[in-house]
Amino acid sequence: MTRTWPLLRVLRDRSAGLSLAGVVISGFGTSALWLVSGVWVKDLTGSDRLAALCVLALWAPTLAGPLLGTLADRVRRAPLLIATNLLLAVLLISLVAVDSRDGLWLLFTVLFVYGAAGVVHDAAESALAAVAVPGPLLGDFNGLRMTAGEGMKILAPPAGAALYTVYGGASVALLDAATFVAAACLYACLRVKEPRPGPPTGDWRARTAEGARHVWSHPGMRRLVMAGGTTMLCAGVNGALIYPVVEHLGHSPAYAGVLYAAQGAGSVVVGLLSGPALRRLGAPRFAAYGIALFGVSVALRAVPSDPVALACSAAIGAGLPAVLIAALTHVQHGTPGPLLGRVTATANTLVFAPNVIGLAAGAALVEPVDHRVLLAVIGLAAGAALVEPVDHRVLLAVIGLAPLATAAPLLQPPPSADRTDSRSPSDANPA
C-alpha cells in the first residue's frame, strides 16, 4: 500500500488546510504593511527614527506575551481568532484618516494594537492547531506554516511597495484589512470541537505565571526555548552586519535584497522538510543541527565571495527556522490544552524578546549615530554599534561560534523524566 506524503495529508486535512490558508492570506497583508508603514512615516516626517518606531510598535507587545496569552486560554480559540481578525480589519480601515504628520498618533496606536492582537492570535492559533491537526502531522503543519510565512515575506513587500507608490499608504492598510476579513471567514469555516474552558482559578498574576512555570519545569522544553532565544539573539547581531558584508563583496546596498531572497528560499525549503526531519531526528536534534548550520554559515559569510555569500544566506535561512519549528512543535505536544495559549505566548516572548530590545536601541540611535547603525532596527544595538570599531569578519566568526555552543546541549540525551520529542504525545506528566 502506498503511503501518502505527510505534507499532502496536511493539505488534504480540512482544518489544517483552512488554517494554512488563513496564515497565507493574513500574512500577505501583514508583510506588506510591515514594510510600508515605515516608508509611510518617513515620507510624512522625513525622520528615520520615527520610521524605525513603526517596527518597534509592532514588536513591543511581544514582551507582554505571558499576560496576553492568558486570553487565549479563557475562551474557545476559533471564535477568538475570528474576533481578532475582524478587530484588526476595523482598526486598519481607520488608517485612511492618516494623511499628515498630525495623524501619526493614530498610525502608531493601530500598529501597537496590531502587535498585541498578533500575540493573542499566534497563541490561539497554536492552541487550535494542537486540537485541529493530528498529532503526528503537527511538525509538518508548523513547517508548512513557516514556509507560507516566509513565502509571503518574499512576495508581499514588493507588492505593498508598488501599491503604496501608486495609491499611498491607506491603500495598503485597506488591503491588509481585506486579508483579515478573508482570514476570519476561513476560521469561521473550521469544524473543530473545542471544550469550553473551565472557570479561572487564582488571580491574574498566578494564571499569567503558569505558562512560565510550565516551560521551566520541563527540561526538554526549556532547553529548546532558551536555545531559540539565544539563536535569535545571534541572528539579530548577524542581521546588523548585512551591509558590511555587502560592501566587502563590492556591491551596492541594494544587493542585500538578493541575500535576503536567498535566505527566504532556504526557509521555504526547511519548512517543507521539517516534518520528516522532526520524526527522524526528534525535536532537540533537529534544532541542534539547524543551529549548527546557522552558526557555520554566519562565520563563512566573512569569505569575500558571491557564491559563498549566497550559499551561506540560503543555509542561514534553512538553519534558523529549525529551532523555532522544533520549539513550537515540542510546546504543542508537551502542554495540556488549557495551558497552551499561555505557554505558547511565553515561549514566543523568550524567543523573540531580543529583537524587541534591538529595535528599541536602534530607534534611539538611528539619527545621532552613523547610518550603518540603522542595522540595529532589525538586529541588536550591540551588534550595530560594533560594526564600526571591529572588523565585521571577526564578528561573523564569533557570532558563528556562539550558536554552536547553544546547539551542543541539545545533542545530549534528555533525562529519563523528560524523554519527549516530536514523536511523543505529551510531556505534561513526566515520570
Side-chain angles (χ1 to χ4, degrees):
M1 180 177 178
T2 302
R3 295 182 61 186
T4 304
W5 191 27
L7 289 178
L8 292 179
R9 290 170 58 195
V10 172
L11 295 175
R12 289 175 181 175
D13 185 273
R14 187 176 186 275
S15 297
L18 288 172
S19 298
L20 281 173
V23 170
V24 171
I25 293 173
S26 61
F28 184 91
T30 297
S31 297
L33 186 68
W34 176 81
L35 170 68
V36 165
S37 60
V39 178
W40 195 357
V41 170
K42 172 70 174 177
D43 286 344
L44 290 176
T45 66
S47 171
D48 290 330
R49 179 181 296 175
L50 290 175
L53 286 175
C54 289
V55 184
L56 176 61
L58 284 168
W59 275 96
T62 303
L63 297 175
L67 177 61
L68 294 172
T70 61
L71 297 176
D73 290 333
R74 293 292 305 277
V75 299
R76 288 182 297 166
R77 280 65 179 254
L80 178 60
L81 287 170
I82 296 170
T84 302
N85 279 278
L86 292 178
L87 170 65
L88 288 172
V90 172
L91 286 174
L92 287 164
I93 292 173
S94 70
L95 293 183
V96 298
V98 178
D99 58 2
S100 68
R101 189 186 185 107
D102 293 337
L104 287 185
W105 68 270
L106 177 59
L107 176 59
F108 284 119
T109 300
V110 169
L111 291 176
F112 184 82
V113 177
Y114 194 115
V119 173
V120 177
H121 185 282
D122 287 347
E125 185 181 58
S126 173
L128 184 64
V131 176
V133 180
L137 296 179
L138 266 177
D140 300 275
F141 176 84
N142 290 328
L144 280 175
R145 188 181 185 279
M146 176 69 69
T147 295
E150 292 301 319
M152 291 305 100
K153 289 178 184 178
I154 296 173
L155 299 175
L163 188 62
Y164 174 82
T165 301
V166 178
Y167 298 108
S171 64
V172 181
L174 291 176
L175 170 66
D176 200 7
T179 65
F180 279 116
V181 172
C185 293
L186 290 170
Y187 286 122
C189 294
L190 285 173
R191 298 172 185 170
V192 179
K193 293 183 179 179
E194 292 186 85
R196 186 178 297 277
T201 57
D203 60 20
W204 66 270
R205 294 183 184 87
R207 294 195 299 272
T208 299
E210 281 185 281
R213 282 201 298 268
H214 183 81
V215 172
W216 201 255
S217 65
H218 291 77
M221 189 181 302
R222 181 176 70 238
R223 286 195 294 180
L224 277 170
V225 170
M226 298 309 294
T230 303
T231 304
M232 289 302 295
L233 181 69
C234 296
V237 181
N238 170 63
L241 300 173
I242 182 67
Y243 290 107
V245 169
V246 169
E247 183 180 1
H248 194 59
L249 291 171
H251 294 291
S252 67
Y255 189 73
V258 178
L259 299 182
Y260 279 129
Q263 183 172 329
S267 296
V268 169
V269 171
V270 79
L272 295 173
L273 299 177
S274 60
L278 279 168
R279 281 187 290 274
R280 179 176 293 272
L281 301 173
R285 285 188 176 276
F286 177 55
Y289 293 156
I291 293 171
L293 177 62
F294 166 76
V296 171
S297 301
V298 168
L300 288 176
R301 292 177 77 193
V303 177
S305 165
D306 282 357
V308 171
L310 288 169
C312 287
S313 293
I316 288 170
L320 184 58
V323 66
L324 305 181
I325 295 172
L328 175 58
T329 305
H330 196 86
V331 165
Q332 289 170 321
H333 278 305
T335 305
L339 272 177
L340 194 48
R342 280 164 285 180
V343 174
T344 297
T346 299
N348 286 340
T349 295
L350 293 172
V351 170
F352 294 110
N355 276 340
V356 181
I357 298 170
L359 289 169
L365 294 171
V366 69
E367 287 182 348
V369 181
D370 188 279
H371 70 280
R372 280 161 285 197
V373 186
L374 281 170
L375 302 173
V377 172
I378 56 173
L380 296 170
L386 288 172
V387 168
E388 273 298 297
V390 180
D391 190 295
H392 74 278
R393 288 167 292 185
V394 176
L395 287 176
L396 288 170
V398 173
I399 298 164
L401 291 174
L404 299 182
T406 299
L410 296 176
L411 294 174
Q412 298 175 359
S416 58
D418 188 63
R419 197 169 293 277
T420 57
D421 56 24
S422 65
R423 294 165 290 185
S424 60
S426 173
D427 69 355
N429 298 299

